[in-house]
Amino acid sequence: MVKIAVTGKGGVGKTTLSGTLARMLARDGFDVVAIDADADMNLASSIGISKPPNPLTDYQDMIEERAGEKGGMFKFNPKVDDIIDKFGVVGPDNVKMLVMGTIDTGGSGCMCPASSFLKAFLRHVVLKDTSAVILDMEAGIEHLGRGTTKGIDLMIIVVEPGKRSLETAERIKHLSEGIEVKHLAAVINKGKSVNLKPQLEALGIPVLGEIPYDEDLVRADLEGVAPIDVGGKWVDAVVQIKDNMMRMINGFEQQQ
């Protein structure tokens, strides 16, 4: 089982990396579930899915039925084991995809049926349900306060040149220590590892690789095509990152 969350500051390319990794792992023989847990909900296009599924939070009646109880109470462990088949879609390379959606009653302490349902689903799918899970997390660090990344094998922080991106990586590193995320790694996008790698490693975040600027990636975005279906230097770099990622995860397993 491979369980990966991809995060970072907004605009650094985490969604594009998430979708491309999902396709690559599927081609390697994994049974992949890609979960869009970002409020912007753009993961489908990076996978190559033209019609993404509706967000799970759209199904309020289903959530109330499964997570709610009489008297305004809610269940901590609602039924979620059929969610992928009922509410997901299957994309290229047989990647299964789900969209989480957002909870209107904001705040990390939301104690409501929707929050209970989504947390139960993420616990189930991450811990039990499949061979490989890719979570495209929302930008920033708010998700780390909601416990949606517990049980993850590796959290990948996408970093680009700039102080804010490095500061976000540092905060993620700090917060991850309290939510059972044991392993972090970084991917450097749009920059040189020679400039950023020492700073990241000083924070205790190893670097999986760097992704160069690539006009083929820009063209794929403009044409609405998944990057892996266009190819180019960007995709070649992600292949190496994926291989480094798998070696790192296998090393974690051998240490257990």
Side-chain angles (χ1 to χ4, degrees):
M1 294 178 64
V2 179
K3 299 155 286 184
I4 302 156
V6 183
T7 188
K9 184 180 73 68
V12 295
K14 65 181 186 56
T15 296
T16 308
L17 178 64
S18 298
T20 305
L21 285 174
R23 291 280 301 273
M24 289 180 178
L25 289 173
R27 291 182 178 184
D28 285 348
F30 286 94
D31 178 20
V32 177
V33 175
I35 301 174
D36 194 340
D38 189 343
D40 288 337
M41 298 183 283
N42 294 319
L43 181 60
S45 61
S46 71
I47 296 172
I49 295 173
S50 58
K51 294 182 179 180
N54 291 333
L56 291 180
T57 49
D58 282 2
Y59 301 98
Q60 291 297 323
D61 290 344
M62 180 271 293
I63 290 174
E64 290 288 343
E65 176 186 348
R66 297 194 182 194
E69 291 184 334
K70 293 181 180 180
M73 303 296 289
F74 62 92
K75 301 175 184 176
F76 281 98
N77 294 295
K79 175 180 171 63
V80 293
D81 56 358
D82 59 346
I83 294 301
I84 295 172
D85 291 335
K86 285 189 174 182
F87 301 104
V89 298
V90 180
D93 296 318
N94 203 38
V95 172
K96 302 177 185 69
M97 182 194 165
L98 286 155
V99 177
M100 300 303 294
T102 57
I103 300 172
D104 292 334
T105 53
S108 61
C110 174
M111 298 294 284
C112 57
S115 177
S116 176
F117 180 84
L118 295 182
K119 286 182 179 179
F121 170 73
L122 287 172
R123 283 198 308 271
H124 175 79
V125 74
V126 169
L127 296 176
K128 301 176 183 177
D129 201 38
T130 192
S131 299
V133 177
I134 302 285
L135 279 167
D136 178 28
M137 305 304 299
E138 63 188 282
I141 60 174
E142 293 299 321
H143 57 89
L144 296 179
R146 294 197 285 273
T148 53
T149 48
K150 287 185 178 180
I152 290 292
D153 289 320
L154 180 66
M155 181 180 288
I156 298 175
I157 309 170
V158 183
V159 180
E160 64 181 3
K163 184 178 180 179
R164 286 182 58 201
S165 187
L166 283 168
E167 287 175 346
T168 298
E170 184 173 9
R171 289 198 297 271
I172 290 171
K173 166 69 174 176
H174 176 71
L175 291 173
S176 68
E177 295 170 357
I179 58 168
E180 301 177 24
V181 176
K182 297 180 180 179
H183 303 293
L184 300 175
V187 167
I188 298 170
N189 194 20
K190 311 175 209 173
K192 296 291 186 181
S193 62
V194 67
N195 298 323
L196 295 175
K197 186 175 181 179
Q199 298 178 67
L200 288 164
E201 291 185 340
L203 295 173
I205 306 173
V207 175
L208 293 172
E210 67 178 62
I211 302 174
Y213 174 80
D214 188 355
E215 291 185 358
D216 287 328
L217 179 64
V218 177
R219 177 166 61 88
D221 184 49
L222 290 172
E223 296 176 357
V225 180
I228 196 171
D229 294 325
V230 173
K233 294 183 294 184
W234 196 93
V235 173
D236 292 341
V238 177
V239 170
Q240 186 62 53
I241 287 166
K242 182 261 300 179
D243 290 342
N244 291 340
M245 175 188 77
M246 292 308 301
R247 280 193 288 269
M248 181 177 287
I249 292 173
N250 289 335
F252 301 154
E253 293 174 352
Q254 292 173 6
Q255 293 171 12
Q256 293 178 355

